[in-house]
Amino acid sequence: MYLCGANKEKMILTVDIGNTKIKAAVFEIDEVLGKFIFDRVDAEKKITEILKEFAEISQIVLSSVGKDDFDLLLWLESCTGLTVINHDSRFPFDNRYATPETLGIDRMVLSAGAVLQFPVQNRLVIDAGTCVTYDFVDSDDNYLGGAISPGLRLRYKAMHNFTAKLPLLYPEIPTGYVGDSTESAMHSGVVNGLLYEIEGFIHRYEQQYANMVIILTGGDAEFLAKRLKNTIFANSNFLLESLNKLYLYTIQIEND
């Protein structure tokens, strides 16, 4: 087990535990010093390596969308300061969701990051991962909700798993809108279909709300961003940056 030495309380390690992968980043205030991605089974080994490389890390800020790994949390807590973002954490918005206890922590963190980075604007955060989530926070910092739909890989898997003959494919740029084979038709349907969906949501929000920033993040953000017509702020690491901003916001609130 890695034991932390004396720290100078300068650096923060943000950790996003997903369903299969863990993403992490080291911050000094707003500067990113390192970014990492690894499997959940390698968490202790990889985080040990990060803590050794960045010995001045004094706080780990963590959020998880899956089941809590209590052994991992206990180990992290014994190593250095640990802040786990959950529903009891302080957020810079008024949560108007009808079932706030069911709102995913990842969606809350992303919304907090949007509020802190883009003040006094309407914000639509689109997270293109396993699922595609849409989260809207208005210019008065009210979280109003959004939408959830299957992500790219889920769409491919669904077609394969729930039909007799369609193959299992992986995201690929369609050669056109009219697929001239089963595979090209599937690529057109999945990729173009998701692009149409995102464009449609953006158009609907822009019709109703002015002065709006659109943030696209998640594992498929870069793949999709190049093919979207709308002006968006694309950042695949926005959740990690939002964890850092939320922690700094919490510290500031506590010190005021």
Side-chain angles (χ1 to χ4, degrees), residues 209-245:
Y209 300 97
N211 187 29
M212 189 169 72
V213 60
I214 301 154
I215 304 151
L216 178 65
T217 190
D220 291 319
E222 293 183 8
F223 180 87
L224 296 168
K226 298 174 184 177
R227 296 161 185 87
L228 288 169
K229 298 176 182 178
N230 284 278
T231 301
I232 60 174
F233 175 76
N235 182 352
S236 59
N237 298 303
F238 192 68
L239 194 145
L240 293 172
E241 295 178 10
S242 296
L243 281 171
N244 180 58
K245 290 181 183 296

Side-chain angles (χ1 to χ4, degrees), residues 74-107:
L74 285 173
W75 174 73
L76 291 172
E77 195 169 26
S78 71
C79 181
T80 188
L82 175 65
T83 298
V84 178
I85 303 299
N86 55 40
H87 288 90
D88 296 324
S89 301
R90 301 186 70 170
F91 291 88
F93 55 77
D94 183 13
N95 193 342
R96 302 291 184 88
Y97 209 52
T99 55
E101 70 281 356
T102 69
L103 182 58
I105 291 299
D106 54 336
R107 298 175 67 187

Side-chain angles (χ1 to χ4, degrees), residues 53-68:
E53 181 178 356
F54 300 93
E56 292 183 353
I57 291 173
S58 61
Q59 188 73 209
I60 296 174
V61 184
L62 178 148
S63 69
S64 174
V65 298
K67 294 182 179 179
D68 289 334

Side-chain angles (χ1 to χ4, degrees), residues 12-182:
I12 296 171
L13 173 64
T14 60
V15 179
D16 167 32
I17 301 180
N19 293 308
T20 57
K21 296 287 185 179
I22 294 179
K23 293 181 180 180
V26 178
F27 291 87
E28 189 165 19
I29 310 299
D30 283 331
E31 182 183 0
V32 181
L33 303 181
K35 294 183 291 186
F36 312 88
I37 183 169
F38 44 88
D39 294 329
R40 290 187 65 145
V41 295
D42 297 325
E44 190 168 324
K45 174 186 174 183
K46 295 297 184 181
I47 292 175
T48 293
E49 293 173 356
I50 295 170
L51 293 174
K52 286 181 178 180
E53 181 178 356
F54 300 93
E56 292 183 353
I57 291 173
S58 61
Q59 188 73 209
I60 296 174
V61 184
L62 178 148
S63 69
S64 174
V65 298
K67 294 182 179 179
D68 289 334
D69 185 335
F70 292 105
D71 289 337
L72 176 61
L73 294 180
L74 285 173
W75 174 73
L76 291 172
E77 195 169 26
S78 71
C79 181
T80 188
L82 175 65
T83 298
V84 178
I85 303 299
N86 55 40
H87 288 90
D88 296 324
S89 301
R90 301 186 70 170
F91 291 88
F93 55 77
D94 183 13
N95 193 342
R96 302 291 184 88
Y97 209 52
T99 55
E101 70 281 356
T102 69
L103 182 58
I105 291 299
D106 54 336
R107 298 175 67 187
M108 296 178 71
V109 171
L110 289 169
S111 298
V115 169
L116 295 171
Q117 185 163 343
F118 302 99
V120 200
Q121 294 184 67
N122 292 303
R123 310 94 167 174
L124 177 62
V125 184
I126 304 169
D127 184 8
T130 303
C131 288
V132 181
T133 58
Y134 302 81
D135 293 287
F136 180 71
V137 188
D138 69 17
S139 57
D140 293 322
D141 298 340
N142 297 305
Y143 176 88
L144 301 182
I148 306 172
S149 71
L152 282 174
R153 287 160 184 80
L154 271 182
R155 297 177 191 222
Y156 282 112
K157 288 181 180 179
M159 287 195 292
H160 172 67
N161 292 336
F162 294 102
T163 64
K165 296 183 178 180
L166 291 179
L168 178 60
L169 303 179
Y170 297 93
E172 185 177 301
I173 302 170
T175 55
Y177 293 99
V178 181
D180 58 4
S181 68
T182 297

